[in-house]
Amino acid sequence: MGRPSPLLSRLEAVGAWGIGPFDNDGAGDALAMLAHLPSPERADRIRDWLTLPDEDYLEVDTGQIVVAMAALLAAALGASTEHDAYLAALIADGSLPTDASTRQLAVAALTRIAGDDSEWHELWADAGELTAVLAVNERLAEVLTAR
């Protein structure tokens, strides 16, 4: 993973906002952090990001990270997602947690960010794209629960 990722370079260069799981700053920051962690620490970091409080208001970055981690896990399970060779290296490394409990955490986190007490939800609703991003989340949840 010595070469810079075109996807991460694009995300780090300018603010990004798109409906794809990796099309935003929160996802780019989280993926860059994962790439720089030693492989054995990645699973714990992913589980930490997917463990959300039941009551607190969720900031947009939290939602972006949840979607990116769910997509990364889905890709590790063989789902087709938009990712580059750099992310493929994270997947091929074998350090991503695809066990049932982590997949359940991811599905619960996807549900949680779609709730009313989430800036992620509010911003997508304001942008008129909530239906589109919820469809992305639904597809991810289907992959994560089908295994």
Side-chain angles (χ1 to χ4, degrees):
M1 283 194 249
R3 281 187 25 235
S5 161
L7 173 65
L8 292 181
S9 295
R10 185 186 74 209
L11 289 171
E12 291 170 355
V14 295
W17 186 259
I19 66 168
F22 306 114
D23 291 348
N24 55 71
D25 294 332
D29 293 345
L31 292 169
M33 182 183 293
L34 271 184
H36 290 97
L37 282 176
S39 294
E41 295 177 23
R42 291 181 184 148
D44 287 340
R45 180 69 252 177
I46 290 169
R47 288 185 194 101
D48 287 346
W49 279 325
L50 294 173
T51 303
L52 303 180
D54 291 332
E55 301 288 326
D56 296 340
Y57 183 79
L58 301 175
E59 300 293 331
V60 67
D61 286 351
T62 300
Q64 293 172 343
I65 291 168
V66 163
V67 175
M69 294 306 107
L72 193 58
L73 296 179
L77 293 167
S80 175
T81 60
E82 178 188 326
H83 61 277
D84 63 10
Y86 188 74
L87 295 179
L90 276 175
I91 294 164
D93 160 282
S95 63
L96 302 178
T98 57
D99 57 279
S101 64
T102 303
R103 293 191 322 268
Q104 290 170 351
L105 268 178
V107 171
L110 287 170
T111 300
R112 175 73 170 84
I113 65 167
D116 292 335
D117 55 349
S118 165
E119 185 181 28
W120 181 89
H121 177 275
E122 290 175 14
L123 292 174
W124 282 116
D126 290 348
E129 296 285 350
L130 184 60
T131 301
V133 295
L134 290 177
V136 170
N137 290 7
E138 185 176 312
R139 284 190 300 274
L140 292 171
E142 287 172 2
V143 170
L144 295 169
T145 57
R147 305 289 170 172

